[in-house]
Amino acid sequence: MSDHAHKNFRIVKYIAAILLPVSIFATALSWYYSEKLRPVITQELKDLVFTATDSLYHVEFSTIRTNWITGNASLYDVNIIPDSLALKRLNARAAGPNNIYSIRVKRVMIRGFHPFTLYRKNKLQIDELLLLRPDITMVNKQQPYNEGKPPRPRYNPYDYISKYLAELQVNNINLRDIKFKYINNNGEKPVADSLSNLNITLKDWLIDPKSAEDPKRLYLLKDVVLSMNDYVYRSPDSLYHIKMNKLDFRASTGRLKIRQFTVVPQHPEMDFSKAAGYAKDRFNISFNEISLGGIDFPLYISTQELFAKDMQINNGFVAVFSSNVIPGKGLPKSGQFPHQLLQNLSGTVTVQKLHLNDIDFSYSAYNRRSKQKGSITFNKTSGTISNLTNAPKYKALNPVMTAKLQSRFMGKGALDVDFKFHLSAKNGFFNYKGRLRNMDGRLLNKITRPVAMLQIKSGFIDELRFDIRANESLALGTLDFRYHNLGVRLLEPAEDSDRLVRKGFMSFLANNLIINSGNPDREGKFVSAKINYQRPAKASFFSFIHKSLFQGIRHSIGFTVEKEKEIKAQIEKFEKMKADREQRRENRRKRN
């Protein structure tokens, strides 16, 4: 070994000789303080929770372990328990909170509590509190005296800790893989809901002489961050799975983002109603992204009222399938219009602006007679829905929810529709107007062939305008339909297969006696249709709209009451001629 190597080896030995006893002493000292101070720390921690919450909560744990060298500690079998008697006392003097929490966790890890800062400055500054797989139950009971209160403690908790500490600060409180149960205790009966796989980070929690009055803090916090991955919820009837790939929320920005939101039916189209036990519309929904901005997080925490300034739904589809293979419940569908469903939500919701971007809507129906499925599609739908609310205070300011939408009807026709939903109308009053233009009429065969058993041979839609006022019972309005070169075939099911075949004579009568090939006609006469459509008690909102419009379209193309009487007389005349011809043939056969 060289002299240089010997010299380095001696230096290492000297350092080891110095550090080893220091390390042994420090470890022994840390153990001594841990053992000596554990009862004191345990009691003071329990007193701190009790006094800082005005006796509402007390904390229990099996043991506490500390390492004064690293500044780390752990609490085991932690329970934070509310005191029902203390809550009654607080409520009696109008000082109780709306939300009560019960928390159970196997281990709480305290990382970096800086013992020297605690010793020299009497300030407890913690880098991180980590709670793994906590079980949290929150019970909400709205208290009138808390209405409009700012997101700050009612009393400054510094008054309670000042005899122990000059300051208490935790940079990050991380709760990972939370099992969360929410109980709404505001109705006649408690209503419970639950979540799992939830992660929460509470940033910069501070108790000092000024933090309780800091307007930039939310309940002593600088920020609250929520995230959840791969969430799956099964509907109570087991007909759907609701899934979210990823959810992120940050209170400081008020922005919530959801990636890959889906509502997945658990049965194929033709089996869905059988699984439900009655004829029931089947929904299949998928959105690539949903985001909400300007969320009032303190309002939601305090009252469970969701308020957002804007909402975006981007890239996705909503597919509805209806089958009449089995009977429905036989009950009238009342209170099922969009604005009525909004008013009947159990929670209070307000979204000032909802933006839709590139959403495909489709409605499909199965016809038992044709044994085929027909579909209507509204592709690349975009637009804005304003004043989406069921909050009384916002309805009083503006009682109308509006929707301005643009779409490609059947993938081609340019469609613009404006809705106005009157939020407080007991009879579901709403009105809508729109315009469809520049579309090949043969595209409608996707719905007319299987559902109406009518094939459009030719025809071009120049413009369709409509203006309708409606409620749960009646639709009234006008429809102007401009088209040219219309020709149709009437169809019927073939006896030996599932095909549809042409009804030759009826098609001839339809094209020559009923249908106007154009509007305006060759003389320039234009037919404007009046709509007066009674809604069947069992009809859905979408069915009500399209059948109201179809009444006007029928009138525009020639299916008037007078024409129907005329064609009925022609059919009766044809049937009599056919019967007479058959009788003459039978008479000739008998003579021969």
Side-chain angles (χ1 to χ4, degrees):
M1 182 179 295
S2 66
D3 292 340
H4 182 69
H6 276 293
K7 184 177 180 180
N8 287 341
F9 181 69
R10 286 196 300 271
I11 293 173
V12 170
K13 286 200 299 181
Y14 294 149
I15 294 174
I18 295 171
L19 290 181
L20 183 59
V22 171
S23 176
I24 294 172
F25 175 75
T27 302
L29 187 64
S30 175
W31 175 85
Y32 171 78
Y33 275 112
S34 297
E35 293 300 314
K36 190 76 174 176
L37 298 178
R38 180 179 293 130
V40 177
I41 294 173
T42 298
Q43 188 57 49
E44 289 197 357
L45 183 57
K46 291 182 176 182
D47 290 345
L48 179 64
V49 171
F50 185 78
T51 55
T53 62
D54 200 4
S55 75
L56 180 57
Y57 292 97
H58 67 276
V59 61
E60 296 177 354
F61 48 89
S62 61
T63 187
I64 180 171
R65 294 177 182 172
T66 56
N67 187 320
W68 291 86
I69 296 175
T70 61
N72 295 334
S74 292
L75 283 76
Y76 294 86
D77 303 314
V78 179
N79 287 315
I80 299 176
I81 305 166
D83 187 320
S84 58
L85 294 177
L87 179 62
K88 288 182 180 179
R89 288 196 300 270
L90 290 171
N91 288 338
R93 54 188 174 95
N98 289 348
N99 298 317
I100 301 298
Y101 299 88
S102 299
I103 302 174
R104 292 186 294 116
V105 60
K106 292 295 292 181
R107 183 184 180 190
V108 177
M109 289 177 277
I110 303 171
R111 294 174 174 171
F113 62 80
H114 304 285
F116 292 108
T117 303
L118 177 62
Y119 175 75
R120 293 199 310 266
K121 299 181 179 180
N122 201 28
K123 293 182 177 181
L124 179 54
Q125 296 176 337
I126 299 171
D127 293 337
E128 181 187 32
L129 284 181
L130 178 60
L131 290 74
L132 292 175
R133 293 181 293 280
D135 192 332
I136 302 174
T137 298
M138 184 182 90
V139 180
N140 176 261
K141 175 70 175 178
Q142 304 297 328
Q143 303 295 347
Y145 51 78
N146 285 327
E147 185 72 24
K149 290 289 178 63
R152 294 194 285 273
R154 185 180 298 274
Y155 302 106
N156 191 343
Y158 181 75
D159 296 339
Y160 299 109
I161 74 162
S162 57
K163 66 178 182 178
Y164 302 103
L165 300 167
E167 176 184 291
L168 172 58
Q169 182 178 32
V170 184
N171 292 333
N172 287 292
I173 303 173
N174 290 313
L175 298 90
R176 294 291 176 260
D177 197 10
I178 302 169
K179 183 179 179 182
F180 181 81
K181 183 177 182 180
Y182 165 69
I183 299 175
N184 186 328
N185 208 15
N186 295 292
E188 294 181 2
K189 295 181 179 179
V191 178
D193 202 355
S194 60
L195 290 172
S196 57
N197 301 327
L198 180 65
N199 299 314
I200 299 176
T201 296
L202 310 176
K203 290 185 171 292
D204 192 9
W205 185 63
L206 176 64
I207 299 178
D208 69 4
K210 298 180 180 180
S211 61
E213 299 299 323
D214 187 347
K216 295 182 180 179
R217 289 185 177 273
L218 172 73
Y219 299 111
L220 306 174
L221 296 161
K222 272 294 180 68
D223 206 355
V224 177
V225 180
L226 283 74
S227 67
M228 187 164 54
N229 297 322
D230 300 322
Y231 171 75
V232 179
Y233 170 76
R234 187 176 68 178
S235 63
D237 56 15
S238 299
L239 294 175
Y240 295 97
H241 281 176
I242 300 169
K243 301 179 180 181
M244 287 185 291
N245 178 257
K246 187 174 180 61
L247 179 147
D248 292 294
F249 172 74
R250 188 175 290 269
S252 58
T253 62
R255 175 66 63 179
L256 170 69
K257 288 187 178 181
I258 297 173
R259 305 283 185 183
Q260 291 298 325
F261 174 86
T262 58
V263 178
V264 184
Q266 296 303 292
H267 302 278
E269 288 181 338
M270 295 306 296
D271 296 335
F272 188 81
S273 290
K274 295 177 184 177
Y278 61 95
K280 182 180 178 67
D281 288 347
R282 174 186 183 270
F283 290 84
N284 189 7
I285 301 172
S286 177
F287 299 132
N288 287 348
E289 182 182 72
I290 301 174
S291 67
L292 290 92
I295 294 175
D296 190 336
F297 187 62
L299 178 67
Y300 183 78
I301 289 294
S302 175
T303 67
Q304 274 62 67
E305 177 179 343
L306 176 61
F307 174 89
K309 291 182 178 179
D310 65 88
M311 181 175 180
Q312 300 263 355
I313 301 179
N314 300 322
N315 305 109
F317 64 83
V318 177
V320 184
F321 176 77
S322 177
S323 170
N324 58 0
V325 173
I326 64 174
K329 281 187 172 181
L331 301 174
K333 291 184 177 179
S334 60
Q336 299 295 305
F337 290 179
H339 53 313
Q340 293 175 313
L341 293 173
L342 176 63
Q343 303 315 303
N344 292 331
L345 283 178
S346 57
T348 304
V349 176
T350 299
V351 178
Q352 291 183 325
K353 291 278 187 181
L354 168 58
H355 304 276
L356 300 176
N357 300 302
D358 285 339
I359 309 297
D360 291 338
F361 292 93
S362 67
Y363 176 80
S364 301
Y366 178 80
N367 187 321
R368 281 188 296 180
R369 187 159 176 251
S370 68
K371 298 180 181 178
Q372 295 181 15
K373 181 181 78 170
S375 299
I376 294 177
T377 61
F378 302 85
N379 304 93
K380 294 189 175 297
T381 302
S382 299
T384 303
I385 301 174
S386 301
N387 196 40
L388 191 154
T389 185
N390 62 0
K393 56 187 174 184
Y394 294 115
K395 287 195 296 182
L397 294 172
N398 182 3
V400 178
M401 178 175 71
T402 62
K404 296 181 180 292
L405 306 174
Q406 303 82 45
S407 187
R408 287 289 172 180
F409 182 54
M410 307 303 282
K412 295 293 184 181
L415 175 65
D416 300 306
V417 185
D418 291 350
F419 287 91
K420 289 185 178 179
F421 298 98
H422 297 260
L423 298 173
S424 299
K426 300 297 183 183
N427 64 353
F429 176 64
F430 71 104
N431 50 290
Y432 62 101
K433 61 183 178 179
R435 180 188 182 207
L436 172 67
R437 57 197 183 278
N438 301 331
M439 176 178 157
D440 188 335
R442 291 174 296 182
L443 294 170
L444 293 172
N445 284 325
K446 294 177 181 178
I447 185 69
T448 61
R449 273 184 60 92
V451 174
M453 286 186 287
L454 180 145
Q455 179 182 1
I456 299 173
K457 296 190 301 180
S458 63
F460 191 84
I461 299 172
D462 299 306
E463 184 181 58
L464 175 68
R465 286 183 179 270
F466 50 89
D467 192 345
I468 314 291
R469 304 175 309 282
N471 57 36
E472 281 191 318
S473 304
L474 181 67
L476 299 171
T478 58
L479 182 141
D480 293 338
F481 186 23
R482 298 179 183 274
Y483 63 92
H484 64 271
N485 195 33
L486 178 62
V488 302
R489 288 193 183 101
L490 301 183
L491 307 172
E492 62 182 351
E495 294 182 0
D496 57 348
S497 69
D498 293 340
R499 294 183 303 110
L500 296 176
V501 296
R502 182 188 177 198
K503 297 170 68 174
F505 180 69
M506 295 298 293
S507 297
F508 172 81
L509 291 178
N511 285 301
N512 289 277
L513 295 180
I514 300 180
I515 292 177
N516 302 318
S517 62
N519 192 22
D521 61 18
R522 294 176 181 175
E523 285 75 36
K525 181 182 177 181
F526 180 75
V527 176
S528 181
K530 297 292 184 182
I531 293 175
N532 187 330
Y533 180 74
Q534 294 279 343
R535 173 182 168 268
K538 300 176 186 178
S540 66
F541 175 75
F542 186 84
S543 173
F544 184 35
I545 288 179
H546 92 260
K547 288 184 177 179
S548 300
L549 296 177
F550 187 62
Q551 184 191 68
I553 292 172
R554 280 172 56 91
H555 183 89
S556 298
I557 66 176
F559 278 94
T560 61
V561 175
E562 293 77 12
K563 285 285 185 72
E564 289 188 33
K565 288 181 180 179
E566 182 180 348
I567 195 64
K568 184 178 180 180
Q570 290 290 338
I571 292 172
E572 290 175 353
K573 181 179 179 181
F574 172 76
E575 293 294 338
K576 186 177 185 305
M577 290 172 58
K578 183 179 178 182
D580 291 345
R581 186 168 60 250
E582 291 295 330
Q583 185 63 49
R584 289 194 297 271
R585 287 177 180 173
E586 179 65 18
N587 292 339
R588 283 197 299 270
R589 188 186 64 80
K590 289 180 179 180
R591 288 196 300 269
N592 294 333

